[in-house]
Amino acid sequence: MHTTRSVLLDWLRACIAAFQFLTRLPIPVQIDYTDRVFQRSVIFYPLAGFVIGLLLLLAGNGLSFVLPAMPAAVLLLGFWVVLTGGLHLDGLMDTADGILSHRPREQMLEIMKDSRVGAMGVIVCLLHLLLKFSLLYTLLDTGGMGGVCILLAIVPIWSRWFMVAAIHGWPYARRDSGLGSFFRGVTKWHVTMSSLVALFATTLLVVILSTWLADSSVTSFSFTKGLTIIFSFAIGTILTGWILATYISRKLGGLTGDTYGALNELLETLLLLGTTIFATSHM
């Protein structure tokens, strides 16, 4: 009995660690961040994405109800950044500074360690946020956050799932330094369990979507189409994520903590782009 309780507490700590690391949600629990906790926490990354997605959906619905699409999109984007504390944006800027410096590999890694942000990091971040804003604005302007726009909530699930796949699937570029070094014990089992969490969370959202639209005027959605959506998100994430991670790994000789964050940001925007195309084509 005591052993079972200890095991459950270990997994609870790992879940809390995932939320504390990936979000700025107030969870006032002190966790001892050991390598074991870090490695187990990746299983719950899609769950953290699920909660972020639901919060974005609720915020989007509330904002679109009281504001025009453009200010609502700005505030929704700001809320999205606040939810993560800009953690992944920081990784995107550092990665852009390093890779776009076109220096030798070791110098790229040194540039990425610099706490100062360079010109390329600022430019990439600005263009990235502008694109994200334009996609959110399009979703809000074409039909609020109801209907197929609930798919926005699925985006953070799969972008965070790929972070787990990237941790296991590509070598770590730094030998003994950097936050990402804590994750080097992540195995195929962790990726498999994280995949199951992502599939469960996405299926739950599809069920919510099908229930939401059951009594509405939107009759084109069905659970079969929902399964197609799940498949599309999974395949789209794997293909685009593999291309991005492979490119970055070839440049740096592997991935780092910064590049995990960059991959999350880039995948969020690319998946959001796909969601926007789907939503606008079905209006």
Side-chain angles (χ1 to χ4, degrees), residues 17-24 38-50 52 80 84 86-92 95 132 154-172 179-188 190-195 198 233-234 236-242 244-246 248 254-269 271:
F19 278 85
Q20 289 183 337
F21 183 62
L22 294 181
T23 76
R24 289 299 177 266
F38 265 115
Q39 292 157 15
R40 283 188 170 186
S41 69
V42 302
I43 294 174
F44 301 99
Y45 278 17
L47 183 62
F50 171 78
I52 290 172
W80 199 335
T84 62
L87 173 67
H88 308 305
L89 282 174
D90 181 68
L92 176 65
T95 302
K132 216 169 190 178
I154 300 177
V155 169
I157 296 174
W158 287 97
S159 64
R160 280 154 185 79
W161 169 82
F162 190 80
M163 292 174 67
V164 184
I167 290 169
H168 173 68
W170 282 266
Y172 188 67
L179 184 60
S181 62
F182 291 111
F183 297 104
R184 282 183 295 181
V186 170
T187 65
K188 188 176 181 179
H190 293 94
V191 179
T192 301
M193 295 303 294
S194 180
S195 302
F233 266 98
T237 301
I238 292 170
L239 290 178
T240 55
W242 182 86
L244 291 170
T246 300
I248 294 173
L255 302 180
T256 69
D258 284 327
T259 63
Y260 299 147
L263 285 169
N264 177 79
E265 281 293 333
L266 293 172
L267 280 172
E268 275 188 346
T269 300
L271 292 174

Side-chain angles (χ1 to χ4, degrees), residues 188-269:
K188 188 176 181 179
W189 180 81
H190 293 94
V191 179
T192 301
M193 295 303 294
S194 180
S195 302
L196 293 176
V197 173
L199 289 170
F200 173 78
T202 309
T203 303
L204 180 59
L205 282 174
V206 168
V207 171
I208 293 173
L209 175 55
S210 59
T211 303
W212 185 334
L213 300 180
D215 299 323
S216 71
S217 59
V218 182
T219 58
S220 60
F221 186 87
S222 64
F223 190 75
T224 301
K225 183 175 286 187
L227 295 177
T228 304
I229 290 170
I230 296 173
F231 179 79
S232 299
F233 266 98
I235 297 301
T237 301
I238 292 170
L239 290 178
T240 55
W242 182 86
I243 292 171
L244 291 170
T246 300
Y247 171 78
I248 294 173
S249 182
R250 286 177 179 174
K251 285 285 188 179
L252 301 175
L255 302 180
T256 69
D258 284 327
T259 63
Y260 299 147
L263 285 169
N264 177 79
E265 281 293 333
L266 293 172
L267 280 172
E268 275 188 346
T269 300

Side-chain angles (χ1 to χ4, degrees), residues 82-127:
V82 168
L83 278 175
T84 62
L87 173 67
H88 308 305
L89 282 174
D90 181 68
L92 176 65
M93 289 188 287
D94 287 341
T95 302
D97 278 335
I99 290 180
L100 298 180
S101 69
H102 303 292
R103 303 288 180 84
R105 181 176 296 171
E106 290 302 320
Q107 290 187 28
M108 287 184 184
L109 291 171
E110 286 301 315
I111 290 171
M112 290 168 62
K113 286 175 64 176
D114 194 332
S115 60
R116 294 168 296 182
V117 179
M120 296 311 301
V122 173
I123 292 171
V124 168
C125 182
L126 179 61
L127 293 175

